Amino acid sequence: MNPQSTEKLRVDKWLWAARFFKTRSLAKQAIEGGKVQLGGQRVKVSREIGIGDQLRIRQGWDERDIVVIQLSDQRRGAPEAQALYEETQASIARREQSAQARKLAGGMIDRPAGKPDKRARRQIHRFRHIDDS
């Protein structure tokens, strides 16, 4: 892996290179939405991060606390991208605990057996468009 020689890198570029987000625009949206924090504070897209900085990244149900180990502005394979950061043990334990809680609660959610048939779709359509009459 060819880590970048400078000591600072834009946070959106690093998140993309570390494979937290598929595109830089998705990384930008997450940062602007407050889903990325540096030291407990919201960051701006252009904020520069360095080695040793602690980030909190929220993606869907998961929230990760990571420490930046290396900087790279090039997107590489997943094993190389995982070498750019280290997740804290507390973060790993918290994610596993919340995943287990979601798994246990998943059995209690009443979900339909499959796609609605023609009759059910008509009922849904009528229900959604009652006020349009």
Side-chain angles (χ1 to χ4, degrees):
M1 185 159 152
N2 186 11
Q4 185 178 353
S5 61
T6 62
E7 297 174 7
K8 296 284 183 179
L9 185 66
R10 285 176 55 118
V11 69
D12 64 330
K13 198 173 230 187
W14 186 85
L15 288 169
W16 167 76
R19 294 184 159 263
F20 283 103
F21 299 98
K22 197 167 189 170
T23 64
R24 279 186 62 191
S25 16
L26 289 177
K28 178 184 173 194
Q29 288 174 1
I31 293 167
E32 290 172 345
K35 294 180 178 16
V36 178
Q37 297 178 352
L38 175 66
Q41 300 290 322
R42 287 180 67 162
V43 297
K44 292 187 177 179
V45 177
S46 62
R47 171 71 188 258
E48 291 186 340
I49 60 170
I51 295 173
D53 286 346
Q54 292 187 356
L55 294 172
R56 176 170 281 180
I57 303 165
R58 190 172 65 228
Q59 290 179 299
W61 298 104
D62 293 333
E63 190 170 280
R64 299 172 186 247
D65 292 331
I66 61 163
V67 178
V68 178
I69 296 176
Q70 290 183 343
L71 297 177
S72 176
D73 61 352
Q74 294 181 341
R75 189 172 170 99
R76 308 257 181 185
E80 294 173 359
Q82 289 173 349
L84 298 177
Y85 63 91
E86 182 177 285
E87 188 172 2
T88 62
Q89 292 299 321
S91 173
I92 293 170
R94 189 175 59 240
R95 281 192 312 112
E96 288 175 354
Q97 186 179 18
S98 65
Q100 185 67 24
R102 285 193 308 272
K103 187 176 181 180
L104 291 173
M108 301 178 139
I109 298 172
D110 188 26
R111 294 189 176 129
K115 289 172 47 174
D117 59 0
K118 188 172 186 175
R119 180 174 173 252
R121 280 195 305 274
R122 286 180 178 161
Q123 289 174 338
I124 292 169
H125 183 72
R126 274 189 231 120
F127 177 75
R128 286 188 176 172
H129 295 90
I130 276 179
D131 297 330
D132 292 345
S133 306

